[in-house]
Amino acid sequence: MSEPRPRPVLATIPAYRPGLPSTNEEHKLSSNENPFPPLPGVIEAAAVELGRMNRYPDPGVTALGEVLAERAGLTPDHFAFGTGSVSVLFALLDAWCGPGDEVVYPWRSFEAYPIAVDLPGATSVRVPLTADHRHDLPAMAAAITDRTKVVLVCTPNNPTGTTVGAEEFHAFMAQVPGHVVVVVDEAYLEFVRDPEALAGADALARYSNVVVLRTFSKAYGLCGLRVGYSIAAPAITESIRKALPPFGVSDVAQAAALASIEAEAELAVRVASVVDERTRVVAALREQGWDVPDSHANFVWLPLGDRSAEFAEQVRPISVRPFPEGVRVSIGTPEINTTFLERAATFLRETPA
Ligand SMILES: *Cc1c(COP(=O)(O)O)cnc(C)c1O
């Protein structure tokens, strides 16, 4: 008997394994979530749309697109919306890459990248980070071949929190052929306090082959509703829109995103408090003796190498994200951050290297 079988590439893609359910959500420092509830006015705006759930959402995401376009000084045909910026990235790679094409990206970086690249049959070309946990842009430029279709740049980088500098990015772009699409993933833009960092908006203004990715999941705290978008030249945007599933972003999510933008004064206060906590956590960890890179995101990186899994085990019930190279710890409420710092100190004291 013959059996149905998916494409062989599926065997190389890890199955989704949900994190351990936590008895206390505040203990979850493993997904870079926002510790704050929705911004003022957001639940009310979303509730109005909940009452209309018998209707399909606006497929053009018109109102949100107009507001964002006006703020960026662009037209709405530069914006493509999806259920999180991850789904916009999947659509982009679907539209631009197939078997034989290469996608260059830094590694370690965002876990969704290898899946988004490998699924359409393209080849991942991973370029190791530098010793100080940053993108190695000269090596990434050198990795570009005739087969390269897309390059992914993540600033700040998930999971290390390091930024890509504006100057090094421009030097990199001078070496990238104009037909290669360069994605600048700015999921953590609002948390950046590095004056030398690349601004995706500047890259867009200068290069017609740049695609910027933004999301309402992190600073805006809407990850449960799934809204993200790309900004790019209209022709690239059209290609992404064609590859996106239709009616992805619900009217509830669209209304919540709009109301969140209107609450930007409170957003700024909350982002500043996360940045203050990040400063406190990094300083305390360094005081304890940890080697922590400067972070410009809502998490910090502990380069623990092969002790990462052991560390993650020790800090429970706080849940953090271990990788083979280190551990990523999201900034949570001040109380949980303090508890985390105590556990990190205990680990250094009691667990011999
Ligand atoms: C969280 C994150 C995203 C966006 O996630 P969505 O919830 O799909 O919008 C994109 N890129 C990076 C690097 C992230 O960490």
Side-chain angles (χ1 to χ4, degrees):
M1 270 247 315
S2 64
E3 279 178 21
R5 291 222 185 269
R7 286 165 49 231
V9 67
L10 273 294
T12 69
I13 291 173
Y16 179 73
R17 270 178 288 122
L20 290 178
S22 178
T23 42
N24 179 349
E25 274 192 341
E26 283 198 355
H27 284 147
K28 193 174 161 213
L29 303 184
S30 54
S31 297
N32 300 342
E33 291 162 341
N34 194 313
F36 294 98
L39 285 157
V42 171
I43 292 180
E44 294 76 5
V48 172
E49 296 304 323
L50 268 182
R52 300 181 50 253
M53 65 170 78
N54 54 313
R55 301 293 173 188
Y56 277 104
D58 169 9
V61 195
T62 317
L64 183 57
E66 280 170 2
V67 167
L68 290 173
E70 169 158 9
R71 287 172 167 243
L74 295 167
T75 46
D77 56 358
H78 289 73
F79 291 75
F81 292 88
T83 51
S85 61
V86 167
S87 77
V88 180
L89 177 67
F90 272 65
L92 180 145
L93 292 171
D94 245 353
W96 288 78
C97 303
D101 296 331
E102 294 176 352
V103 179
V104 174
Y105 56 88
W107 200 250
R108 174 70 54 180
S109 191
F110 188 32
E111 297 138 276
Y113 294 162
I115 303 172
V117 171
D118 296 351
L119 206 51
T123 301
S124 282
V125 178
R126 297 179 178 186
V127 178
L129 298 177
T130 62
D132 52 356
H133 318 288
R134 311 181 74 241
H135 285 42
D136 188 343
L137 291 173
M140 288 174 68
I144 294 173
T145 71
D146 292 346
R147 300 179 160 210
T148 307
K149 283 278 158 56
V150 177
V151 178
L152 306 178
V153 171
C154 188
T155 181
N157 186 48
N158 178 1
T160 58
T162 51
T163 50
V164 168
E167 235 172 87
E168 60 178 340
F169 181 78
H170 296 311
F172 166 76
M173 287 303 287
Q175 302 196 60
V176 176
H179 61 269
V180 171
V181 170
V182 177
V183 174
V184 178
D185 186 343
E186 293 195 306
Y188 301 95
L189 169 70
E190 294 81 359
F191 301 105
V192 174
R193 293 294 181 271
D194 171 6
E196 318 270 287
L198 169 71
D202 292 341
L204 277 172
R206 252 168 100 156
Y207 311 107
S208 57
N209 54 334
V210 161
V211 177
V212 167
L213 295 180
R214 302 255 178 89
T215 180
F216 285 93
S217 291
K218 305 285 162 48
Y220 287 87
L222 295 183
C223 62
L225 279 180
R226 318 301 302 127
V227 202
Y229 59 96
S230 59
I231 319 175
I236 297 178
T237 301
E238 189 176 81
S239 74
I240 298 170
R241 288 181 178 177
K242 285 181 177 177
L244 278 163
F247 301 111
V249 185
S250 71
D251 276 342
V252 179
Q254 295 183 35
L258 270 172
S260 298
I261 292 173
E262 277 161 29
E264 68 187 338
E266 177 63 15
L267 172 78
V269 171
R270 293 181 180 188
V271 167
S273 85
V274 171
V275 168
D276 286 349
E277 274 297 287
R278 177 180 78 200
T279 306
R280 178 176 79 92
V281 167
V282 168
L285 286 169
R286 286 179 179 160
E287 183 78 12
Q288 291 178 13
W290 293 94
D291 164 30
V292 192
D294 283 335
S295 169
H296 290 278
N298 65 344
F299 52 81
V300 297
W301 176 245
L302 300 176
L304 271 154
D306 56 14
R307 304 179 75 205
S308 300
E310 184 190 354
F311 178 84
E313 198 52 46
Q314 289 251 332
V315 298
R316 284 173 68 171
I318 292 179
S319 82
V320 296
R321 184 66 64 98
F323 296 99
E325 301 87 349
V327 175
R328 189 191 71 201
V329 186
S330 310
I331 299 298
T333 61
E335 298 70 35
I336 298 299
N337 297 336
T338 297
T339 309
F340 167 74
L341 288 169
E342 287 162 8
R343 282 169 203 240
T346 307
F347 180 87
L348 277 191
R349 238 185 357 256
E350 295 179 2
T351 319

